Amino acid sequence: MKSEWLQLDGLSADLADLYRDLHQHPELSLQEVRSARLLAEALDSAGFEVTEQVGGTGVVGVLRNGDGPVVMLRADFDALPVEEKTGLPYASTTRATDAEGHDVPVMHACGHDMHAVCLVGAATLLARTSDTWSGTLLVVLQPAEELARGARDMVEDGLFERFPRPGIVLGQHVAPLPAGFIGHASGPVMAAADSAAVVLHGRGGHGSRPEATVDPVLMAAHVVTRLQGIVAREVPPAEAAVVTVGRLQAGTKDNIIPNTAELGINVRSYSPEVRALVKAAIERIIHAESAAGPAPQPPDIVWTHSAPLLVSDPEATAATVAAFTDHFGPQRLLPMPLVAASEDVGVFGEAADVPTVFWFWGGLDTETALAALSSGNIDSLPSNHSPHFAPVIEPTLTTGVQALIIAARTWLA
């Protein structure tokens, strides 16, 4: 591969400045107005046809460069309600109002700012070297990944009707791996995710007279305990799943039995069969415990957020990883286990009915991360969603830009 395709000379400083800007001014999912404007301006300056407000705050750039395949490069750019504790000079002090009206701190704790800047960098360099390839680049900057809805919002807003339909979807995620390294897997890569909001109904009253009430808190406690038996006793041992009750809220005072109890449930799974089994078991248990309550009315169960199983197409992944190996060398490639976290990038490939290739790349200080990996002390490293997680700018930025360019060049003519 010709080295000029991958040279960031003269671009690195601008990309680093854009990264620090986005990191210092994060925006929650569905609120990414400023970030979208900056990213759209960067793509416009690189020569792309730019469309904003696709599926909300999404940005799409198209670069038509003669006959050839349509290759889609995707990155997300929303942030999280996390208070940053990195101590960086460009750390976020931003606060915002979330969807429930709460004032919350905001931080790019998952590296989406790095994702977006690397995509801008790759798009810029591919545009500058357009005399060396042909085809069409479809650059998609997606909002609201943390809600597992941004990809579907863009598809439902006509992404593949309004813009060229791709032959392949390429994406990456910065991870708690050594900076400069690429993590790869084939087939299932990240879990399917489903979230449910549950309301259990009781009959409130004085805590001193429980016999005159129906206690939804007791119902909720039984539900939480019983749900833990699904994976242990209903999912086959050769399969994997996670059931988490991350939210349980009820009551206002210790001597008042409330009318309702609310639960927030999250599920991770790796096959359609297990996904259906677990969701059905959750509903069965909630209804059964409610009936045992005995609740005065059936529970409310609403499945709110959903992301499909992320599958990195084996054949397309093999070709892409071979190109990575050729450039980075085998010593900088790390095979990855199944990841229980989820990503909605799979919605794009699923909707377009084309292969998706997805990989990880490292963002932590290389020496520190390698030492932790070699000693088996991985838990000492800050992970995505941690208030201490912020990728080192280099070599994370250069590696992320180069990986996207190499992957795109693998599929362009």
Side-chain angles (χ1 to χ4, degrees):
M1 180 170 288
K2 296 181 180 179
S3 61
E4 61 264 26
W5 297 348
L6 298 170
Q7 294 306 308
L8 275 68
D9 296 344
L11 183 60
S12 293
D14 289 342
L15 292 176
D17 286 343
L18 177 59
Y19 169 72
R20 283 186 283 263
D21 188 342
L22 291 177
H23 190 87
Q24 196 166 20
H25 302 96
E27 293 172 301
L28 293 174
S29 305
L30 306 179
Q31 300 180 21
E32 314 94 333
V33 177
R34 179 182 182 274
S35 303
R37 186 182 72 250
L38 291 177
L39 295 168
E41 289 172 354
L43 288 182
D44 181 69
S45 297
F48 283 73
E49 304 167 24
V50 179
T51 304
E52 299 180 61
Q53 298 181 347
V54 180
T57 53
V59 177
V60 177
V62 178
L63 183 63
R64 306 172 199 270
N65 190 34
D67 295 334
V70 178
V71 173
M72 175 174 155
L73 300 178
R74 172 269 193 183
D76 42 18
F77 62 99
D78 54 330
L80 287 159
V82 173
E83 184 176 358
E84 182 159 359
K85 297 181 180 179
T86 63
L88 290 167
Y90 51 88
S92 168
T93 57
T94 298
R95 300 190 69 85
T97 303
D98 68 11
E100 286 74 41
H102 303 132
D103 176 72
V104 296
V106 188
M107 175 194 175
H108 269 297
C110 200
H112 293 188
D113 46 353
M114 183 61 76
H115 299 177
V117 172
C118 286
L119 182 49
V120 166
T124 302
L125 284 177
L126 284 163
R128 288 181 182 178
T129 58
S130 59
D131 58 329
T132 64
W133 58 270
S134 62
T136 297
L137 274 176
L138 176 67
V139 172
V140 174
L141 288 153
Q142 177 209 311
E145 186 279 332
E146 294 295 352
L147 299 182
R149 61 170 286 179
R152 200 165 302 282
D153 285 349
M154 295 189 81
V155 169
E156 291 177 354
D157 197 20
L159 177 65
F160 297 130
E161 290 74 43
R162 298 165 59 186
F163 307 98
R165 197 177 191 89
I168 192 165
V169 174
L170 304 172
Q172 62 181 7
H173 203 300
V174 69
L177 300 172
F181 284 68
I182 303 289
H184 63 93
S186 181
V189 175
M190 300 182 76
D194 297 282
S195 294
V198 177
V199 179
L200 296 168
H201 297 280
R203 186 171 61 248
H206 202 290
S208 67
R209 295 194 60 211
E211 77 282 2
T213 71
V214 175
D215 190 349
V217 177
L218 183 60
M219 273 185 252
H222 285 309
V223 167
V224 171
T225 303
R226 184 65 185 240
L227 289 180
Q228 304 315 305
I230 296 174
V231 175
R233 288 294 176 266
E234 298 190 46
V235 174
E239 300 283 355
V242 179
V243 177
T244 296
V245 179
R247 182 174 66 87
L248 199 168
Q249 294 171 317
T252 57
K253 197 171 185 292
D254 60 288
N255 66 345
I256 299 174
I257 293 173
N259 285 314
T260 61
E262 300 179 8
L263 295 88
I265 302 172
N266 185 257
V267 179
R268 307 292 167 134
S269 57
Y270 296 97
S271 74
E273 295 77 16
V274 170
R275 187 181 195 181
L277 180 156
V278 172
K279 290 177 69 175
I282 288 171
E283 294 193 12
R284 184 192 75 233
I285 287 169
I286 292 170
H287 280 283
E289 292 294 351
S290 183
Q297 68 185 81
D300 301 322
I301 305 173
V302 179
W303 292 97
T304 54
H305 304 309
S306 174
L309 176 69
L310 175 53
V311 177
S312 193
D313 180 81
E315 185 176 343
T317 298
T320 306
V321 170
F324 288 158
T325 304
D326 183 55
H327 174 73
F328 294 111
Q331 72 278 5
R332 288 173 62 185
L333 268 68
L334 299 172
M336 295 287 291
L338 282 171
V339 176
S342 301
E343 247 278 3
D344 66 353
V345 65
V347 169
F348 294 118
E350 196 175 76
D353 194 24
V354 300
T356 297
V357 178
F358 196 80
W359 63 92
F360 301 89
W361 92 106
L364 299 185
D365 175 74
T366 306
E367 186 176 334
T368 302
L370 284 174
L373 289 171
S374 63
S375 66
N377 194 24
I378 299 174
D379 290 344
S380 66
L381 300 173
S383 62
N384 301 81
H385 290 213
S386 162
H388 302 284
F389 183 80
V392 294
I393 294 179
E394 289 294 356
T396 310
L397 185 56
T398 294
T399 305
V401 170
Q402 291 182 343
L404 284 171
I405 292 173
I406 291 164
R409 292 299 302 255
T410 301
W411 300 101
L412 290 165

